[in-house]
Amino acid sequence: MASKYININLKIWRQKNANSKGEMKTYKLDQVSTDSSFLEMLDQLNEQLINNREEPVAFDHDCREGICGMCSLYINGRAHGPDNAITTCQLHMRKFKDGDTIYVEPWRAKAFPVIKDLVVDRSAFDRIQQAGGFVSVNTSGRTMDANAIPIAKIDADKAFEAAICIGCGACVASCKNASAMLFVSAKVSQLALLPQGKVEAKERVMNMVRQMDEEGFGNCTNTGACSVECPKEISLDNIARMNREYMKAMVTAE
Amino acid sequence: MSVLDSKIPEGHISQKWTDYKNHLKLVAPNNRPKIDVIVVGTGLAGASAAASLGEMGYNVKAFCFQDSPRRAHSIAAQGGINAAKNYQNDGDSIFRLFYDTIKGGDYRAREANVHRLAEVSGNIIDQCVAQGVPFAREYGGLLDNRSFGGTQVQRTFYAAGQTGQQLLLGAYSAISRQIGLGRVKMYNRHEMLDIVKVDGKARGIIARNLITGAIERHSGHAVIIATGGYGNVYFLSTNAMGSNVTAAWKIHKQGAYFANPCYVQIHPTCIPVHGTNQSKLTLMSESLRNSGRIWVPKKKEDAEAIRAGKMKPTQIAEEDRDYYLERRYPAFGNLVPRDVASRAAKERCDAGFGIEANDTNEGVYLDFSSEIKSKGKQAAYAQGIHNATEEQIIALGKKWVEEKYGNLFQMYEKITDENPYELPMKIYPAVHYTMGGVWVDYNLQSTIPGCFVAGEANFSDHGANRLGASALMQGLADGYFVLPYTVSDYLANEIRTGQIPTNTPEFDEAEKRVKDTINQFLNNNGSRSVDHFHKKLGLIMWNKVGMGRNEQGLKEAIAEIDQLRAEFYKDVYVPGSADELNPELEKALRVADFMELGQLMAMDALQRKESCGGHFREEYQDAEGETLRDDENFKFVGAWEYKGSDINQSQLHKEELNYEFIKIAARNYK
């Protein structure tokens, strides 16, 4: 593909730290290759800012191949920008036109406070996992043979499709209630679908949901924006499955 | 007698680890809570080590620079994890995995370590399945396997193209459980910037809280470094942007030897470079070589027409395609090891047959059309369609490919804007993995007592070339099944030590070193960004310490890096302050270490006057362009001792490698 170059205007959320007030600031950036990723475009902006002795824009990123879940960004009103099934690092500038104005904001949710500029604190997700997102099995090398329990391919595949959640938080950011149901249900589903996870299924769903509520995430109203904007296309079926698991645990509680 | 004692136990290779383990010292459960262990890095090796030590009852403090341990770059590993389960009944065994790994490493790894790795490989799969890792399964409900390069059996377990993600999330669930139970204390967004030694032993670290900028002191009775590899010394690599050598390099500067820095794996199947603002390269999993055939045009004029956009690869007739791996290596074909496949791609592109329209014309095809047809035929037959049309076959074949590799194909399309179901993928080698690393003995202990190194950060198991699907295996082997034993053996002598205070001169001194460096950068007020220097370093490394190396180029590289380093300190500009989130400062501190390491890599490549694995010295090749090892003079691990800021003064120590159980031979994949 022959690359083209475009000139763009950027409106970016700048905020010194968690305690200060933020604002949208305007930047002009020329000669952006359409082959660049969105984050490479931000690198280019930062290079320009550094050369002008201005403070570069802070944003989270790491693997730049759509799997670590570190990058975020609300771009033109959409989590991970104007494309489906991608993270921001997989968004390319060929999705924009010469002269476009692009709005870049951090995730907006009470449970994800801004740390600086576009960087937010997603440690609430970690705490939900710590409350129950695991099978309580110690390291031993003496568990049973991996093939001792056959698992129907369809269940293994469904568990995998839930397990590919990257924990980026786009679901929360896209939800009008800032609900974390899609994220939590993905882990609950993965383990509920596998025999290894069934033993602690009740405690898991109760504990994870309790922690989710304590973190200040909103409630689910079945709008489905989360799944639409999810870079890994995690299905709403997982929320339904989690609700069933939760009901089951409530009804059969000791 | 070398100063390096590998501590390899006596006995037959198949009994060494068992016997040794049976005689290691233990720490009783009531004493473990009195002992603090620091783990730096939370990828497969770090998270599994932290979780296991936490489960045992030690007080573990774990550190990562990302916002969560789940982000570590192990997550990006795609293809799979090897284990000698022999579920496919195709002749696999612990010995075969051991043999393949030693041979794959071009006879430059330790027999005893590699055999241990093969021994515990099966336990890893059992452990992961018990944790709920959703590996790919057959319709009968049992685990599926596939092949990887350098082997003739199917021993690779996988979860679509996201095996690393699933394994890391398994280890993350294990460490999360321990964090929830209070046995592991997690420090996210913290970067280790130095090690603290007391009476010669590792006793703590200095870390920077990346959000507040606070410089923190943390003490422990042992320190485990599991911070991954140093591929980002090349600027462009498949590593994550934050992957760095700082923790490993800081312990090197405090006395840990750094082994075989010149052994770098250039992965054959990555998406080619596209432009000057590019920040990283993306891997296309080696598993694709199970189904894809690699080729370039046979005729130069066809290659030129493709580069000029006048011709499409699909227009080139079968007889005009050069499937050069199948031609040169019929026994292994497209599944030769990575170093071999990478060099073969470079050879074709250097000869003018490259197909990518970038500055260097560097690119070859990875073509799935044959596989789409053959799998489509099989699928049609299985569905009872015995006279399937061409379209039906192709549609079914594409469906098969999508199920196996869907996420990789999607990734490729997003980056290149081309549909790999219709056109062959364009690929080219890129820096991927570093076999070299901190020198460790059989216990995974560095030359600093109490400082252990695991996973990619150590040099231990892959010799001069790592086989595909072996990195995940090594990371988890080290963390789950080796360190819990060897670290306990070390800690058995620490039960009377008591908590280690941090208000001592040793901590003062280490903290001062860190603060001085930070202030130096922030007050430098130069004119160029950190990336400016990092890109320059990367170009020197790629051109002169990359896929092909020679004496003259290496000597030039050493001098150029020396000069670049001086310019960097003179002219780098780091904005912002020390007491806030400051990504530019983080980068500056990392690039400073890359500069020193890059020079050492070139020195190591210069002293190693042979070609082996990923280290290809152009002077040492046979008539067909294959590597020429020199076992008489170079069958050793080259471990460097730091001798001050002039890297040229670093001193080489040699650990001779002995092959008792494998007959050392020329590596042949023909």
Side-chain angles (χ1 to χ4, degrees), chain B residues 201-239:
Chain B
K201 291 180 181 173
R203 287 302 197 197
I205 63 167
I206 304 294
R208 181 167 180 267
N209 178 327
L210 298 181
I211 295 180
T212 63
I215 302 299
E216 300 173 0
R217 302 175 178 197
H218 296 276
S219 67
H221 298 83
V223 175
I224 297 169
I225 303 293
T227 49
Y230 49 86
N232 270 347
V233 70
Y234 291 85
F235 187 75
L236 285 179
S237 80
T238 65
N239 286 190

Side-chain angles (χ1 to χ4, degrees), chain B residues 14-52:
Chain B
S14 61
Q15 284 305 310
K16 278 182 200 279
W17 175 234
T18 308
D19 290 346
Y20 185 71
K21 219 168 37 163
N22 287 340
H23 294 92
L24 287 173
K25 284 178 282 206
L26 301 171
V27 178
N30 61 318
N31 279 324
R32 295 176 201 158
K34 298 176 196 162
I35 292 178
D36 301 321
V37 181
I38 287 173
V39 180
V40 186
T42 58
L44 286 178
S48 58
S52 301

Side-chain angles (χ1 to χ4, degrees), chain B residues 243-487:
Chain B
S243 300
N244 68 82
V245 76
T246 290
W249 194 251
K250 293 303 193 228
I251 66 170
H252 172 58
K253 290 174 86 162
Q254 293 301 316
Y257 292 1
F258 207 100
N260 301 334
C262 78
Y263 292 164
V264 175
Q265 177 159 82
I266 317 270
H267 196 295
T269 52
C270 300
I271 299 175
V273 175
H274 62 68
T276 48
N277 285 325
Q278 191 160 0
S279 58
K280 77 154 269 159
L281 297 169
T282 302
L283 173 74
M284 287 287 108
S285 168
E286 175 162 315
S287 62
L288 294 171
R289 285 200 272 144
N290 274 296
S291 297
R293 299 175 68 194
I294 295 178
W295 62 277
V296 291
K298 261 186 198 160
K299 299 178 194 155
K300 258 189 204 164
E301 56 269 31
D302 286 351
E304 279 159 19
I306 283 175
R307 292 198 299 262
K310 292 178 192 154
M311 200 172 180
K312 282 198 167 151
T314 42
Q315 293 168 310
I316 295 181
E318 197 59 30
E319 61 271 20
D320 291 328
R321 301 176 177 195
D322 177 12
Y323 295 96
Y324 56 85
L325 288 177
E326 297 170 26
R327 167 170 61 79
R328 286 177 65 177
Y329 308 99
F332 282 70
N334 291 295
L335 282 172
V336 290
R338 293 174 175 178
D339 55 331
V340 177
S342 291
R343 271 195 297 280
K346 181 178 190 301
E347 188 277 329
R348 283 292 81 193
C349 292
D350 287 352
F353 296 93
I355 49 80
E356 179 65 280
N358 60 15
D359 301 345
T360 48
N361 300 335
E362 286 170 335
V364 301
Y365 287 124
L366 177 61
D367 195 329
F368 298 91
S369 53
S370 303
E371 186 80 340
I372 286 175
K373 275 188 199 148
S374 92
K375 293 297 180 202
K377 260 185 212 157
Q378 279 177 25
Y381 194 86
Q383 292 180 13
I385 315 169
H386 292 292
N387 49 359
T389 62
E390 183 84 3
E391 286 87 56
Q392 270 178 315
I393 288 172
I394 288 181
L396 286 167
K398 282 180 183 167
K399 208 173 145 221
W400 184 91
V401 166
E402 187 180 356
E403 195 168 304
K404 275 275 196 245
Y405 310 112
N407 74 309
L408 299 170
F409 275 54
Q410 185 231 20
M411 237 160 99
Y412 180 87
E413 185 170 3
K414 293 290 175 195
I415 292 172
T416 62
D417 210 20
E418 282 186 1
N419 179 356
Y421 293 98
E422 304 295 337
L423 290 172
M425 285 184 178
K426 290 187 243 177
I427 52 157
Y428 197 68
V431 173
H432 180 56
Y433 184 91
T434 50
M435 284 74 67
V438 179
W439 185 90
V440 289
D441 62 17
Y442 189 68
N443 297 317
L444 305 185
Q445 186 168 223
S446 70
T447 42
I448 301 175
C451 178
F452 295 77
V453 186
E456 190 179 350
N458 75 29
F459 87 105
S460 152
D461 294 354
H462 307 296
N465 171 60
R466 178 175 66 76
L467 288 182
S470 284
L472 302 182
M473 172 171 70
Q474 189 221 337
L476 290 178
D478 288 359
Y480 281 138
F481 299 120
V482 179
L483 286 176
Y485 296 95
T486 60
V487 171

Side-chain angles (χ1 to χ4, degrees), chain B residues 507-525:
Chain B
F507 275 91
D508 291 346
E509 196 191 315
E511 184 181 298
K512 187 174 179 307
R513 281 200 300 269
V514 168
K515 285 187 166 164
D516 286 351
T517 311
I518 289 174
N519 290 333
Q520 186 188 349
F521 279 123
L522 290 172
N523 297 326
N524 201 43
N525 211 16

Side-chain angles (χ1 to χ4, degrees), chain B residues 570-637:
Chain B
K570 212 175 100 200
D571 200 28
V572 72
Y573 169 61
V574 182
S577 67
D579 53 358
E580 62 176 340
L581 177 66
N582 189 341
E584 287 298 310
L585 174 62
E586 293 164 27
K587 280 199 274 186
L589 294 167
R590 292 169 190 161
V591 171
D593 295 329
F594 282 138
M595 294 265 180
E596 297 181 8
L597 168 69
Q599 196 170 336
L600 191 68
M601 288 166 72
M603 287 163 60
D604 191 45
L606 183 63
Q607 68 83 18
R608 191 164 281 281
K609 295 189 175 103
E610 64 162 351
S611 293
C612 59
H615 169 65
F616 188 66
R617 281 285 298 264
E618 286 156 359
E619 303 96 318
Y620 308 100
Q621 54 180 310
D622 68 13
E624 289 165 15
E626 305 295 339
T627 53
L628 267 188
R629 268 194 348 252
D630 177 354
D631 293 330
E632 202 170 311
N633 296 305
F634 290 94
K635 191 162 59 57
F636 62 79
V637 175

